[in-house]
Amino acid sequence: MAFMAVLESDLRALSTEARRRYPGVKDGAEHAILKLRTLSNPSEIGHNEDILRIFLMACEVKTVKISVIGLSCLQKLISHDAVAPSALKEILSTLKDHADMADESIQLKTLQTILIILQSRLLPENEDDMAQALGICLRLLENVRSSDSVRNTAAATFRQAVALIFDHVVGAESLPAGKFSSGSQISRTSSVTGDVNRSINFSESLEQDFLSGGSSLMRENLSKAGKLGLRLLEDLTALAAGGSATWLWVSSLPRTFALDILEFILSNYAVMFRALVSYEQVLRHQICSLLMTSLRTNAEHEGEVGEPYFRRLVLRSVAHIIRLYSSSLTTECEVFLSMLVKVTYLDLPLWHRILVLELLRGFCVEARTLRILFQNFDMNPKNTNIVENMVKALAHVVSSVQVQDTSEESLAAVAGMFSSKAKGVEWSLDNDASNAAVIVASEAHAITLAVEGLLGVVFTVATLTDEAVDVGELESPRCDSDIQANFLGKTAVLCISMVDSLWLTTLDALSFILSRSQGEAIILEILKGYQAFTQACGVLRAVEPLNSFLASLCKFTIYIPNEAEKRSGMHSPGSKRSEPLVDQKDSIVLTPKNVQALRTLFNIAHRLHNVLGPSWVLVLETLAALDLAIHSPHATTQEVSSSVPKLTRDFSGQYSDFHILSSLNSQLFESSALMHISAVKSLLSALSQLSHQSMHGTLSSFGQPSSQKIGSIRFSVERMISILVNNLHRVEPLWDLVVGHFLELAENSDQHLRNLALDALDQSICAVLGSDQFQVAHSRGNDMETTPTELQALECVVISPLRVLYFSTQSIDVRIGSLKILLHVLERHGDKLQYSWLDILEMLRSVSNASEKDLVTLGFQSLRVIMNDGLSTIPVDCLQVCIDVTGAYSAQKTELNISLTAVGLLWTTIDFIAKGPLHENSEEKETEQTDGKKGEEGSLNISSKFNGQSPLNVVDRDKLLFSVFSLLQKLGSDERPEVRNSAVRTLFQILGSHGQKLSKSMWEDCLWNYVFPILDRSSHMAATSSKDEWQGKELGTRGGKAVHMLIHHSRNTAQKQWDETLVLVLGGIARLLRSFFPFLRSLRNFWSGWESLLLFVKNSSLNGSKEVTLAAINCLQTTVLSHSPKGNLPLPYLKSVLDVYEIVLQNSSNYGSNAAGKVRQEILHGLAELYVHAQQMFDSAMYTQLLTVMHLALGQAKISSDNVEAESGHVLQEQRSILEILPQLCPTEQLSSMWILLLRELLRYFPTSHSPSQTEESEINKATSNDLIPENQKMTRPEIPNGIGFVSSNKTEALLPSLSFAEKLVPVLVDLFLQAPLVEKYIMFPEVVQGLRRCMTTRRDKPDGAIWRLAVEGFNRILVDDISRLGMNSGPDSSISRPTRIRIWKEVADVCEIFLVSYCGRALPSNSLSAVELVADESLEMTFLNVLGDKVLKSQIDAPADVIFFLP
């Protein structure tokens, strides 16, 4: 109802305005008000003409105010559909009249009303009405008297009317509104990439029709509205061509305006031209003809046709036709494009060429347009390669800057335009710029458009390639599967065709502009183009374009002059840059362009890592140069000015750049873990190829290694290692590629490269063995029931290069390097190895045969690691090989210390075997323990698993033990004394340490196969070896003569050295007998072995050296002393030892005096120890034999002693030994009768009597002594084995001892006599007193001698002891017979008489003794008298009276 109120208000205003001058209008208005009040809605108004009539009447007045009110009310009525269609003609007539009015407001109201009519349901469907309506607009437009606002409004109204008319056509023809509308020109963004992306989104709706051509939508019949629109189109075309209209009510119209309307129609109503044949015919024959004529440049254009705006409209219209209708107007579009391309080559005004370039740029940045053009023309053999020609034209514009005088200024302006665009700021000249600056700017604008067009082509190719990937026609470069080239899809075929056709021209232009540009924005934009196109080539497998773009890009990354360039620069006398080149030898400068290019290269490599393939070489060459720059101390960035003092420069920027580039460099190879395996192989192959290229040029013309080449090789090697480390989870297929190159590099003649290869191989092997899969496998080793074949193969493959490297090269340092690697592997990861031990051990075995000391040393270090730390992880079946290899190192002749240490490792092996895993064999255990001596036989019984190894069974363990024993036995015959001695020691130490764990059968094998054979072998070698003296190692020369190292006399012959070995063997046998004699006695045929040992001792006494004899004696002695106290030594063994001692003493005269004495001393001490420890086992015969041996020793000592020594009064060593052992030979209680033998034997060594009567008396006493023994203790001579007659009857003259020995023997005999049992003591009392008497008689001949004094003291002790015993017992013992006591006292009386009165009492010359000696002698005599007087005579003795009479 608001509309009704507003309308009534307008009628009142109209009535008021017409009240005075136009009463008819006033009355009509009032009548209309009344009529209006009767109506309820606008539709009722439309049926009532009275209201409309009053407004038309008001317009007929043609006064401004009333006409304005009338036109306003008409607009309201039309807007609210309150006007009947039948009134249209009258309204149009009224508007036509008002259009002729001169008032501007009326004209504007008229145009406004026309537009409202066209927008309402009153839209004229009749051609005449429509022509009249449009004619009103055109009349106001072409009226020269119209103001600018009116003309502009008329133009806008006409444009809007045209749009409404064709909208109505679209609706009337049932066409899809807006589906094929391209709209206005796409605005430019801040980058070409943005323009391409926007064009894709903008033209997405056109895709299907562009591909199909839209032929299925074409129809010939037109509706009434369609025909009206067609007539309008035809007239507009004619007016644009400069002709006249046939339908529109206008005679002429500005061509520019008509062309603008046509451009509007072409751009917004493409659906009509695509669907309606009549429209398409007008487009083809009239509009295209118009545009072709307008495009011609071979004729002068006058008026508005030659103006830039008209040219712009023509070009825009052509652009719309090309964008929207190229599929149906192929020929016309081909002509258009050819003409446009031709313009770029003609010498036309810059503004004209710039307009064309803008058009071409637009085509290039619109991906769909460029796609359709390429499909319709370049891919059609019948048509011209339009897109290719466009690109060449753009490239021509870019390259034309080379011939311009203002090229530098133009390029700087181009950089400025790109920079402004990147910032979103429109680039512009200063207001006061000169004409030259304007020309430069125009040229720069043209070049900018050309560059953007080329980049548009590049990004379009990249975009279409991505689309092909998205739809599945192409594989993504990042897919995990092995990428296979498959170009069956339409988009894929299109992309590859575009690349093949355009890449070369595009690359030339872009590389040129990039090389000449310095602005950051343009560089970044071009590098984006490089990246996009290169990535597209990679996805499309376009190898040649890919490599070309990569090579071009790499030229802008970094430049390092090679050696030849450096020398040529330094030696060129006319060079303008001679000064910098002097400083240039290692200087590397990175510009911002270099840095950005490097980043672009990294982006490409990351994006295309799976598809680069052989193209990796180009990338890697650049990265190698970058790596050299990063590590160069002279590398800088361009920001550091050379004029700034070195100490004040800020290097943070350049270090930041280098740090980023270094990080990117590393990340590229670290990301290889994400690549497909084929891509990783390609990368490794490229690294290998780069290294090969550098190896061929390693030596410069000066013969020195080129640092640049070495750097490239080092880079390749380091990156190979990085790839390997980052792909440990799939190392198998990569290993051969990596290691194969390292092995090849190790054969290079350059030492640096060989070392580099060896270090790389070391790192690679350790990295693989330290990987997770080996860690996991090692941790699961105890739980794995089956052999993991894959892990086994991998481990063998990883270790095999060391073997290959060692055996394939003749270079000593390479072999050394391979052994060092092996040593590192064993030290770090030996515990993880499981399957490659045989290869490792065989390699070490071969090293042991090398003649180079360094090789053998390194090989042995590895073996020592294995034997000390790795035995627990080595498989059981490899232990035998370990032993054999250790034996090989023991036997090698290169380094003595290694042989000695290797022998020690055999002991380590035995310890491990003895303590290691063993299956318990219960049956064998029971068999071996039949004797019940479980503690003695104790074989190994360890059944649990040990460190993950499979347990050994008894048979395997025994084989290993015997293998070690066999090696030690062989080494025991080595020609080197140190080695064989060490082997002998080790063998017996092993047996001594682990003998309790050996079974009987093993002990029997050890004795008969190893112990006694090594004794026989050593004995044979000692007997047959040379006695020639050795010369020590030559140390130098003096006076022309060689100077040799001194060798000790005890080992300066081969025989002496073998004697030393034999001594060690005997010592080892002694240790075994001491430790295991009871167990060994239980072995079969042990007695025969014992006899062979005794035989050796006998033979050694005849033929051996002193050391050997002593060692043999000690062997027997040790056995006896160790086991006789425990009762473990049977009597036959003890007797056999005594027999051997006796034989040895008999043969002791074969040695020199010193040696024989030492042997006799050893035997004597041994006898004493033997008797002390085994005295409970001795019987009378054995004790007698003991005395016989002692007597024999003294006899041999007397015979072999020097007469001068004997006469000089010295006591022989043998005699001293006897004196030392006599106190230990006291007979036991069961051998009390042996006291008589012992004392009588000792008395024989006292001085003999020179008086015949005394000698006869002594014999009588000795003969009758048995009568004095009580009946219960009497023993006949036959009952005394080897009786005293045997002891004393042989060689009497030779056995007469010296006074020196008798002198030492006197106190010993007295001590023994006092210890004797009572019965034996009184039996021997007379004989002992007689012996002392003989000693006293020496006073006459040697008054200064000590023997008579000792005899006197001994005699005093005997008497005092006897008197003391009588006092204690209150008389003589009842067991002693009276005759015996009488005989004793008689002998005492004789001694007193002889000593005091007879021989000893004769007067001596006064000068024979000194005063001190005389006083001492007198004191001794007084003591003797005091004993007789105070002790004997005052005591109650049972001596006869006649005896007492003789006592003083």
Side-chain angles (χ1 to χ4, degrees):
M1 296 304 293
F3 168 69
M4 305 295 285
V6 172
L7 192 59
E8 182 177 349
S9 175
D10 290 338
L11 288 173
R12 290 184 184 277
L14 180 61
S15 175
T16 304
E17 188 64 32
R19 181 178 50 189
R20 295 180 181 179
R21 297 182 59 184
Y22 305 103
V25 175
K26 170 183 174 293
D27 294 340
E30 291 176 352
H31 176 74
I33 291 173
L34 296 174
K35 190 68 175 179
L36 183 62
R37 291 176 179 175
T38 63
L39 303 175
S40 59
N41 53 60
S43 61
E44 293 181 356
I45 297 175
H47 293 92
N48 193 326
E49 297 181 356
D50 293 339
I51 297 176
L52 176 62
R53 184 62 56 190
I54 187 60
F55 294 128
L56 291 176
M57 184 185 301
C59 290
E60 290 175 356
V61 175
K62 295 184 179 181
T63 61
V64 175
K65 290 185 178 181
I66 294 176
S67 293
V68 169
I69 294 174
L71 290 175
S72 297
C73 291
L74 282 176
Q75 292 175 9
K76 294 174 182 177
L77 290 174
I78 294 171
S79 298
H80 287 81
D81 293 333
V83 178
S86 58
L88 178 60
K89 288 184 178 293
E90 190 174 359
I91 295 173
L92 291 175
S93 177
T94 302
L95 293 176
K96 179 182 178 183
D97 294 339
H98 281 71
D100 295 334
M101 294 176 64
D103 186 76
E104 182 179 346
S105 61
I106 296 299
Q107 291 176 347
L108 293 175
K109 277 292 183 181
T110 301
L111 292 172
Q112 189 176 16
T113 305
I114 291 294
L115 184 58
I116 292 174
I117 290 173
L118 294 176
Q119 291 176 339
S120 69
R121 64 185 183 125
L122 293 180
L123 175 68
E125 295 183 0
N126 183 275
E127 294 182 2
D128 295 335
D129 294 339
M130 183 60 74
Q132 185 177 4
L134 296 176
I136 295 171
C137 297
L138 295 175
R139 182 178 300 177
L140 291 173
L141 177 63
E142 67 178 358
N143 192 348
V144 295
R145 294 178 298 175
S146 300
S147 64
D148 291 339
S149 60
V150 172
R151 281 197 298 269
N152 292 337
T153 304
T157 302
F158 184 79
R159 178 187 291 272
Q160 190 70 15
V162 171
L164 292 172
I165 291 172
F166 286 109
D167 286 341
H168 185 58
V169 172
V170 172
E173 297 294 341
S174 301
L175 298 178
K179 180 178 181 181
F180 302 105
S181 176
S182 66
S184 61
Q185 177 75 16
I186 302 174
S187 61
R188 293 170 62 179
T189 63
S190 61
S191 67
V192 180
T193 310
D195 291 344
V196 174
N197 293 333
R198 287 188 59 187
S199 71
I200 296 171
N201 298 329
F202 182 76
S203 57
E204 188 69 32
S205 60
L206 303 175
E207 175 68 14
Q208 186 62 37
D209 184 60
F210 286 166
L211 295 177
S212 64
S215 60
S216 61
L217 299 178
M218 298 293 289
R219 61 176 183 265
E220 298 180 357
N221 298 327
L222 295 177
S223 63
K224 188 175 181 179
K227 293 177 180 180
L228 187 150
L230 182 61
R231 295 204 65 178
L232 175 60
L233 180 63
E234 291 174 345
D235 279 1
L236 288 173
T237 304
L239 291 171
S244 60
T246 60
W247 176 64
L248 290 174
W249 294 1
V250 63
S251 59
S252 65
L253 195 68
R255 293 184 65 182
T256 302
F257 178 75
L259 190 58
D260 188 21
I261 298 300
L262 277 180
E263 187 266 338
F264 171 75
I265 296 171
L266 290 173
S267 63
N268 289 281
Y269 297 97
V271 63
M272 297 186 309
F273 299 99
R274 305 284 298 185
L276 304 176
V277 175
S278 299
Y279 282 80
E280 193 265 343
Q281 293 297 326
V282 173
L283 175 62
R284 183 186 300 274
H285 298 294
Q286 298 178 30
I287 299 177
C288 289
S289 177
L290 164 67
L291 296 176
M292 288 179 188
T293 303
S294 302
L295 278 178
R296 289 174 184 168
T297 58
N298 56 356
E300 292 289 339
H301 293 283
E302 298 180 356
E304 61 179 338
V305 179
E307 294 178 358
Y309 182 68
F310 182 82
R311 284 289 179 183
R312 183 181 294 276
L313 289 175
V314 172
L315 292 174
R316 287 174 61 180
S317 300
V318 170
H320 290 311
I321 291 176
I322 293 173
R323 288 190 183 96
L324 302 176
Y325 312 108
S326 60
S327 297
S328 57
L329 303 178
T330 306
T331 304
E332 290 76 6
C333 290
E334 183 176 357
V335 173
F336 287 140
L337 289 169
S338 300
M339 295 176 70
L340 294 174
V341 170
K342 184 179 179 181
V343 169
T344 61
Y345 293 93
L346 298 177
D347 187 14
L348 296 175
L350 270 176
W351 62 265
H352 191 177
R353 285 190 288 137
I354 288 174
L355 291 177
V356 174
L357 289 173
E358 286 181 345
L359 201 64
L360 295 179
R361 175 203 179 274
F363 295 152
C364 292
V365 301
E366 295 172 11
R368 304 307 173 189
T369 301
L370 195 64
R371 171 179 182 169
I372 292 172
L373 293 178
F374 196 86
Q375 284 179 328
N376 293 337
F377 299 105
D378 293 67
M379 294 185 68
N380 190 340
K382 298 180 181 180
N383 298 332
T384 307
N385 294 336
I386 293 297
V387 176
E388 182 179 353
N389 293 337
M390 287 169 50
V391 173
K392 289 181 178 179
L394 296 174
H396 170 73
V397 174
V398 172
S399 60
S400 64
V401 74
Q402 300 180 75
V403 297
Q404 296 175 4
D405 295 335
T406 58
S407 60
E408 296 297 332
E409 293 83 354
S410 298
L411 290 173
V414 170
M417 290 178 180
F418 271 91
S419 179
S420 297
K421 183 178 179 181
K423 298 176 182 178
V425 179
E426 193 67 26
W427 186 86
S428 62
L429 286 172
D430 296 334
N431 294 330
D432 57 349
S434 62
N435 291 333
V438 173
I439 293 175
V440 171
S442 300
E443 292 173 350
H445 190 195
I447 296 172
T448 301
L449 291 173
V451 172
E452 289 182 347
L454 292 172
L455 292 175
V457 172
V458 167
F459 292 126
T460 295
V461 172
T463 302
L464 295 176
T465 304
D466 292 341
E467 181 181 316
V469 172
D470 294 339
V471 298
E473 295 182 13
L474 294 174
E475 291 286 349
S476 170
R478 291 188 175 275
C479 64
D480 294 332
S481 60
D482 192 6
I483 300 175
Q484 302 293 332
N486 181 16
F487 305 122
L488 301 178
K490 293 181 179 180
T491 306
V493 173
L494 170 69
C495 293
I496 193 62
S497 299
M498 293 182 73
V499 168
D500 291 339
S501 177
L502 308 177
W503 73 268
L504 185 57
T505 305
T506 306
L507 176 60
D508 290 341
L510 292 180
S511 61
F512 167 73
I513 198 67
L514 182 59
S515 65
R516 300 288 299 274
S517 300
Q518 298 300 328
E520 180 180 2
I522 188 172
I523 290 175
L524 288 177
E525 197 70 17
I526 294 175
L527 290 177
K528 287 180 183 178
Y530 264 86
Q531 179 177 337
F533 198 85
T534 306
Q535 290 176 355
C537 292
V539 175
L540 295 169
R541 311 301 185 277
V543 178
E544 184 179 2
L546 173 64
N547 290 343
S548 299
F549 266 81
L550 280 177
S552 176
L553 178 61
C554 292
K555 291 179 182 178
F556 299 106
T557 54
I558 190 170
Y559 174 71
I560 300 178
N562 56 36
E563 302 296 327
E565 291 175 346
K566 290 179 181 179
R567 292 194 301 273
S568 63
M570 287 187 290
H571 294 292
S572 61
S575 176
K576 295 181 180 180
R577 301 180 60 189
S578 58
E579 292 183 4
L581 282 174
V582 174
D583 233 5
Q584 182 188 344
K585 62 177 182 178
D586 288 323
S587 178
I588 303 171
V589 179
L590 289 183
T591 64
K593 184 190 299 184
N594 297 145
V595 175
Q596 294 301 333
L598 284 168
R599 292 189 177 187
T600 302
L601 185 63
F602 282 122
N603 292 339
I604 292 173
H606 277 290
R607 171 73 176 175
L608 298 182
H609 54 226
N610 282 342
V611 297
L612 279 178
S615 303
W616 269 113
V617 176
L618 298 172
V619 178
L620 295 175
E621 288 176 349
T622 301
L623 298 185
L626 172 62
D627 187 72
L628 181 63
I630 290 174
H631 294 90
S632 172
H634 304 288
T636 59
T637 55
Q638 198 177 49
E639 287 77 7
V640 180
S641 174
S642 59
S643 62
V644 179
K646 193 174 283 187
L647 295 178
T648 62
R649 294 179 183 174
D650 181 11
F651 291 96
S652 60
Q654 72 181 57
Y655 288 158
S656 176
D657 286 338
F658 282 137
H659 178 73
I660 293 173
L661 292 174
S662 177
S663 178
L664 291 174
N665 198 356
S666 301
Q667 289 174 7
L668 176 61
F669 296 95
E670 292 172 1
S671 66
S672 61
L674 305 177
M675 300 181 188
H676 188 265
I677 190 64
S678 60
V680 181
K681 289 182 178 179
S682 298
L683 179 55
L684 290 173
S685 299
L687 286 168
S688 178
Q689 182 179 346
L690 175 62
S691 180
H692 281 117
Q693 293 173 358
S694 301
M695 274 194 289
H696 293 313
T698 303
L699 294 180
S700 65
S701 59
F702 294 108
Q704 296 297 325
S706 168
S707 59
Q708 185 175 348
K709 299 296 184 181
I710 294 293
S712 297
I713 297 174
R714 184 180 301 277
F715 168 81
S716 300
V717 171
E718 290 176 352
R719 293 308 178 265
M720 280 186 169
I721 297 174
S722 176
I723 292 172
L724 190 71
V725 170
N726 287 282
N727 289 273
L728 293 175
H729 58 287
R730 50 176 182 177
V731 72
E732 296 91 338
L734 307 178
W735 180 254
D736 290 339
L737 286 174
V738 176
V739 175
H741 180 67
F742 292 164
L743 294 178
E744 184 178 357
L745 197 61
E747 295 293 335
N748 194 277
S749 59
D750 186 78
Q751 180 66 36
H752 298 288
L753 298 184
R754 292 199 301 269
N755 293 339
L756 181 64
L758 293 173
D759 292 341
L761 188 60
D762 189 0
Q763 296 179 45
S764 301
I765 294 176
C766 290
V768 175
L769 294 179
S771 60
D772 293 340
Q773 54 183 324
F774 275 91
Q775 295 281 4
V776 173
H778 181 67
S779 62
R780 295 180 180 177
N782 296 341
D783 302 328
M784 296 175 66
E785 299 179 357
T786 59
T787 302
T789 306
E790 295 181 359
L791 185 62
Q792 178 180 0
L794 175 60
E795 181 181 319
C796 294
V797 167
V798 170
I799 296 298
S800 62
L802 298 178
R803 181 181 178 88
V804 172
L805 185 63
Y806 182 84
F807 289 108
S808 64
T809 184
Q810 299 299 322
S811 175
I812 299 300
D813 60 336
V814 174
R815 288 190 170 187
I816 290 175
S818 65
L819 292 176
K820 286 182 178 179
I821 296 172
L822 178 61
L823 177 60
H824 294 166
V825 169
L826 293 174
E827 289 176 342
R828 302 170 189 170
H829 307 290
D831 57 333
K832 302 167 192 170
L833 299 179
Q834 300 181 41
Y835 310 105
S836 56
W837 284 111
L838 288 178
D839 293 337
I840 294 174
L841 293 172
E842 290 300 327
M843 176 180 173
L844 294 178
R845 187 203 300 268
S846 64
V847 174
S848 66
N849 299 323
S851 58
E852 295 79 8
K853 179 179 178 181
D854 292 338
L855 293 179
V856 178
T857 301
L858 284 171
F860 181 68
Q861 288 179 7
S862 298
L863 179 65
R864 187 162 57 181
V865 171
I866 295 174
M867 303 301 286
N868 289 335
D869 305 325
L871 287 177
S872 60
T873 61
I874 293 180
V876 172
D877 53 358
C878 295
L879 290 177
Q880 179 62 55
V881 184
C882 285
I883 294 173
D884 295 341
V885 174
T886 307
Y889 278 93
S890 302
Q892 57 82 32
K893 303 295 192 300
T894 305
E895 176 60 34
L896 176 62
N897 290 331
I898 289 178
S899 298
L900 298 177
T901 310
V903 172
L905 292 180
L906 290 174
W907 191 357
T908 303
T909 307
I910 289 295
D911 288 341
F912 172 78
I913 296 172
K915 298 175 183 178
L918 177 69
H919 280 310
E920 181 178 2
N921 192 329
S922 57
E923 295 181 0
E924 183 175 349
K925 183 177 178 180
E926 293 176 0
T927 303
E928 293 177 356
Q929 294 180 352
T930 53
D931 294 339
K933 298 182 180 181
K934 298 181 181 179
E936 294 177 356
E937 299 185 17
S939 60
L940 281 175
N941 183 22
I942 304 173
S943 59
S944 61
K945 292 184 179 181
F946 184 76
N947 287 344
Q949 279 189 320
S950 300
L952 283 168
N953 55 40
V954 175
V955 176
D956 292 338
R957 187 206 62 181
D958 292 350
K959 288 181 179 179
L960 295 176
L961 292 176
F962 286 141
S963 177
V964 175
F965 295 157
S966 177
L967 285 175
L968 292 175
Q969 182 192 26
K970 293 178 181 178
L971 293 172
S973 302
D974 195 280
E975 62 183 9
R976 295 166 295 176
E978 299 86 354
V979 175
R980 65 171 178 261
N981 292 345
S982 177
V984 168
R985 291 191 191 95
T986 303
L987 174 62
F988 287 104
Q989 286 172 343
I990 290 172
L991 291 174
S993 300
H994 303 288
Q996 71 276 8
K997 301 176 183 178
L998 303 181
S999 61
K1000 279 187 176 181
S1001 60
M1002 288 190 67
W1003 265 113
E1004 291 174 356
D1005 289 336
C1006 288
L1007 291 178
W1008 301 117
N1009 296 331
Y1010 304 112
V1011 175
F1012 288 117
I1014 200 172
L1015 176 63
D1016 296 339
R1017 173 65 178 172
S1018 300
S1019 176
H1020 173 73
M1021 293 303 297
T1024 59
S1025 295
S1026 172
K1027 298 181 180 180
D1028 298 335
E1029 291 189 5
W1030 290 348
Q1031 282 189 336
K1033 181 180 178 181
E1034 185 174 343
L1035 301 178
T1037 58
R1038 176 182 293 177
K1041 296 182 179 180
V1043 178
H1044 296 274
M1045 181 183 294
L1046 294 178
I1047 302 178
H1048 194 268
H1049 66 85
S1050 63
R1051 55 183 63 196
N1052 59 356
T1053 66
Q1055 185 185 44
K1056 293 179 180 179
Q1057 296 282 7
W1058 275 106
D1059 285 342
E1060 183 182 3
T1061 302
L1062 193 55
V1063 169
L1064 292 175
V1065 174
L1066 292 170
I1069 294 176
R1071 178 181 179 184
L1072 295 182
L1073 294 176
R1074 181 175 68 246
S1075 301
F1076 305 105
F1077 184 79
F1079 171 72
L1080 296 177
R1081 281 195 303 106
S1082 65
L1083 301 180
R1084 294 173 296 178
N1085 299 326
F1086 178 74
W1087 177 255
S1088 61
W1090 177 262
E1091 289 180 335
S1092 65
L1093 179 61
L1094 296 178
L1095 179 61
F1096 172 79
V1097 176
K1098 296 175 184 177
N1099 293 336
S1100 65
S1101 66
L1102 294 174
N1103 305 315
S1105 65
K1106 175 190 70 175
E1107 290 80 5
V1108 174
T1109 304
L1110 294 177
I1113 293 172
N1114 181 68
C1115 177
L1116 298 178
Q1117 188 72 18
T1118 301
T1119 305
V1120 174
L1121 296 182
S1122 299
H1123 300 286
S1124 56
K1126 305 175 184 178
N1128 295 328
L1129 184 70
L1131 188 60
Y1133 290 93
L1134 181 61
K1135 290 182 177 180
S1136 64
V1137 173
L1138 290 175
D1139 294 341
V1140 169
Y1141 283 174
E1142 184 176 358
I1143 295 174
V1144 171
L1145 285 176
Q1146 292 175 357
N1147 299 328
S1148 62
S1149 59
N1150 296 332
Y1151 309 108
S1153 58
N1154 293 334
K1158 183 66 176 177
V1159 171
R1160 287 190 289 269
Q1161 292 176 49
E1162 190 70 22
I1163 291 178
L1164 290 174
H1165 284 288
L1167 286 173
E1169 293 179 354
L1170 187 151
Y1171 177 75
V1172 170
H1173 289 84
Q1175 58 187 357
Q1176 300 300 327
M1177 301 175 61
F1178 271 69
D1179 56 11
S1180 300
M1182 293 176 62
Y1183 192 85
T1184 302
Q1185 187 177 5
L1186 176 65
L1187 296 180
T1188 302
V1189 173
M1190 184 179 67
H1191 176 75
L1192 188 59
L1194 283 175
Q1196 292 291 347
K1198 181 65 178 177
I1199 294 173
S1200 59
S1201 63
D1202 185 76
N1203 292 331
V1204 176
E1205 179 183 359
E1207 293 175 359
S1208 63
H1210 292 290
V1211 179
L1212 300 177
Q1213 290 293 340
E1214 295 88 337
Q1215 295 172 346
R1216 288 196 186 94
S1217 299
I1218 289 178
L1219 294 173
E1220 292 173 359
I1221 67 173
L1222 281 176
Q1224 304 176 27
L1225 299 181
C1226 298
T1228 59
E1229 185 177 353
Q1230 64 268 26
L1231 296 177
S1232 58
S1233 60
M1234 294 296 101
W1235 278 99
I1236 299 175
L1237 291 178
L1238 175 62
L1239 294 175
R1240 284 178 178 172
E1241 180 65 21
L1242 296 179
L1243 289 174
R1244 288 183 56 80
Y1245 301 106
F1246 281 10
T1248 58
S1249 174
H1250 297 285
S1251 171
S1253 61
Q1254 289 180 347
T1255 303
E1256 181 180 353
E1257 182 181 2
S1258 175
E1259 293 295 333
I1260 294 172
N1261 292 335
K1262 187 182 303 182
T1264 57
S1265 60
N1266 274 340
D1267 296 336
L1268 303 177
I1269 301 177
E1271 292 297 330
N1272 59 348
Q1273 295 188 11
K1274 285 185 180 181
M1275 179 182 295
T1276 61
R1277 181 173 294 270
E1279 293 175 342
I1280 304 177
N1282 299 326
I1284 193 67
F1286 172 79
V1287 176
S1288 58
S1289 62
N1290 298 326
K1291 302 181 181 179
T1292 303
E1293 296 298 329
L1295 294 180
L1296 292 178
S1298 65
L1299 291 178
S1300 300
F1301 176 67
E1303 178 183 327
K1304 302 294 183 181
L1305 183 61
V1306 169
V1308 174
L1309 183 140
V1310 172
D1311 290 339
L1312 290 174
F1313 176 77
L1314 295 178
Q1315 297 177 30
L1318 184 62
V1319 175
E1320 285 74 12
K1321 179 186 295 185
Y1322 281 101
I1323 292 175
M1324 290 301 301
F1325 204 114
E1327 296 181 29
V1328 171
V1329 171
Q1330 290 178 11
L1332 294 175
R1333 183 185 63 187
R1334 293 196 303 271
C1335 293
M1336 293 178 187
T1337 59
T1338 62
R1339 180 180 182 185
R1340 178 176 178 277
D1341 298 326
K1342 293 184 177 182
D1344 57 344
I1347 187 171
W1348 67 268
R1349 296 184 178 89
L1350 294 173
V1352 172
E1353 293 176 355
F1355 182 77
N1356 292 338
R1357 289 180 59 195
I1358 292 174
L1359 288 180
V1360 171
D1361 178 76
D1362 184 65
I1363 297 301
S1364 299
R1365 181 174 291 104
L1366 291 175
M1368 293 175 60
N1369 298 331
S1370 301
D1373 195 321
S1374 59
S1375 61
I1376 305 303
S1377 62
R1378 176 66 180 173
T1380 301
R1381 296 289 299 171
I1382 292 174
R1383 180 64 189 150
I1384 292 173
W1385 286 113
K1386 182 179 178 181
E1387 291 297 332
V1388 171
D1390 292 341
V1391 170
C1392 293
E1393 179 184 2
I1394 292 173
F1395 179 72
L1396 295 176
V1397 179
S1398 183
Y1399 296 104
C1400 299
R1402 294 179 182 179
L1404 298 173
S1406 58
N1407 59 351
S1408 61
L1409 295 175
S1410 64
V1412 176
E1413 291 176 337
L1414 291 174
V1415 172
D1417 290 346
E1418 292 178 358
S1419 175
L1420 183 61
E1421 291 175 354
M1422 291 303 299
T1423 302
F1424 183 81
L1425 293 174
N1426 291 334
V1427 169
L1428 290 176
D1430 297 339
K1431 300 292 185 181
V1432 176
L1433 297 179
K1434 290 183 180 182
S1435 299
Q1436 295 180 359
I1437 58 176
D1438 55 349
D1442 56 343
V1443 172
I1444 294 175
F1445 175 79
F1446 284 102
L1447 293 178

